[in-house]
Amino acid sequence: GDQDKIKAIKKDQLVGVEYQANIYALACSNMFIHQDGKTSIINGDCFDNEVIKQVKARRPNVGLLNPPYKSDKKNDTEELEFVLSNLDCLEQGGKCVAIVPMQSAIAQSGKIAHLKEKLLKNHTLEGVFSMPNELFFNSKVGVVSCVMLFTAKRPHPKGKKSFFGYFKDDGYVIRRAKGRVDVDDKFKHVILDKWVSTYMNKETIPSFSVNKEVSATDEWCAEAYMETDYSNLNDTEFTNEIKKYISYRVQFL
């Protein structure tokens, strides 16, 4: 509620990088419309040394990114390379939050595993949150995603357990012509608080969250480690899941 602080943040504490000129223009226009006070978006390549130098000069301590998702082309940049670049720009102890394809979290070999190893060597994996399968329902990106949270420039301590949340149910439902909507503000007033408090207190809840020590060759997702809560299982749910499975098999036979 501190309007002076909000204005100061918008004026002096935001910095971003956008490679595509048309998207850069849209981003600047959007920030101007929302009266950000002063845009500090750089039209350039986030891997360019001069751009990195400009960003570091601002001494950012929080990074937020939704990197471009890799296509089938072999020479495409891996999503975790964007995460590493972002972490490199942050002050020590800063936080990086990135939404990436689940494949970036579950890969156990190859280039992605090498990037995961590099992340743990130089930064701390605080948590990974599995996102709803239909999160990108309104876009052309039909991919299951997760959110990764890192502390910058502090090597992952040996024996440290990272938090993994199965945050698949965000309360949103799909409505024709509207896409995903938060009906009755369920996410805003109920689910968000549960997500935040569970992470802040590092709670382990069956079918929802778990704390686990992992390496670069392990899967970084709650699905691989959390316990299943069978207390709410009933005949109806069991029957419905069997029907879904049969429908899936029939569809792809």
Side-chain angles (χ1 to χ4, degrees), residues 80 104 107-118 216-217:
L80 293 185
S104 298
Q108 297 174 280
S109 61
K111 185 176 181 179
I112 296 179
H114 174 71
L115 293 171
K116 289 166 69 177
E117 183 178 3
K118 193 172 181 180
T217 55

Side-chain angles (χ1 to χ4, degrees), residues 24-225:
Y24 166 76
L26 286 172
C28 290
S29 300
N30 187 50
M31 294 181 75
F32 179 78
I33 291 171
H34 287 86
Q35 300 177 348
D36 75 312
K38 178 183 178 184
T39 58
S40 298
I41 306 178
I42 302 166
N43 184 198
D45 187 340
C46 68
F47 297 105
D48 182 85
N49 289 330
E50 286 301 315
V51 171
I52 292 173
K53 188 183 298 184
Q54 290 182 58
V55 174
K56 284 185 174 181
R58 302 295 296 272
R59 301 183 63 188
N61 58 11
V62 174
L64 298 171
L65 67 157
N66 177 10
Y69 289 179
K70 184 181 178 183
S71 66
D72 293 331
K73 298 178 181 179
K74 291 183 179 180
N75 59 347
D76 268 6
T77 304
E78 295 286 351
E79 293 84 2
L80 293 185
E81 292 183 75
F82 287 94
V83 177
L84 281 163
S85 175
N86 187 273
L87 284 161
D88 181 54
C89 290
L90 297 180
E91 293 286 286
Q92 185 182 49
K95 303 297 182 184
C96 171
V97 183
I99 183 165
V100 296
M102 181 60 78
Q103 180 59 33
S104 298
I106 64 176
Q108 297 174 280
S109 61
K111 185 176 181 179
I112 296 179
H114 174 71
L115 293 171
K116 289 166 69 177
E117 183 178 3
K118 193 172 181 180
L119 282 165
L120 295 181
K121 182 179 179 180
N122 298 285
H123 313 284
T124 301
L125 176 64
E126 301 292 354
V128 179
F129 316 96
S130 300
M131 291 289 98
N133 293 344
E134 297 175 326
L135 188 64
F136 290 103
F137 175 78
N138 289 337
S139 74
K140 297 179 181 179
V141 182
V143 62
V144 178
S145 61
C146 63
V147 171
M148 294 184 177
L149 171 61
F150 293 92
T151 296
K153 298 174 180 173
R154 289 179 180 168
H156 193 87
K158 184 178 180 180
K160 175 181 171 57
K161 293 182 178 180
S162 301
F163 176 90
F164 298 95
Y166 189 70
F167 292 177
K168 291 288 187 179
D169 180 12
D170 61 0
Y172 279 70
V173 295
I174 296 174
R175 290 286 187 265
R176 184 176 298 180
K178 292 184 177 180
R180 301 180 75 247
V181 295
D182 185 11
V183 177
D184 300 324
D185 292 329
K186 186 177 179 181
F187 174 77
K188 180 179 179 181
H189 297 304
V190 180
I191 296 176
L192 178 60
D193 287 342
K194 181 181 179 182
W195 285 11
V196 173
S197 63
T198 302
Y199 169 72
M200 293 295 291
N201 295 309
K202 303 298 188 293
E203 297 179 68
T204 294
I205 302 174
S207 297
F208 188 70
S209 62
V210 65
N211 294 276
K212 178 75 175 179
E213 180 184 352
V214 293
S215 68
T217 55
D218 290 321
E219 294 182 275
W220 292 1
C221 64
E223 293 90 321
Y225 309 111

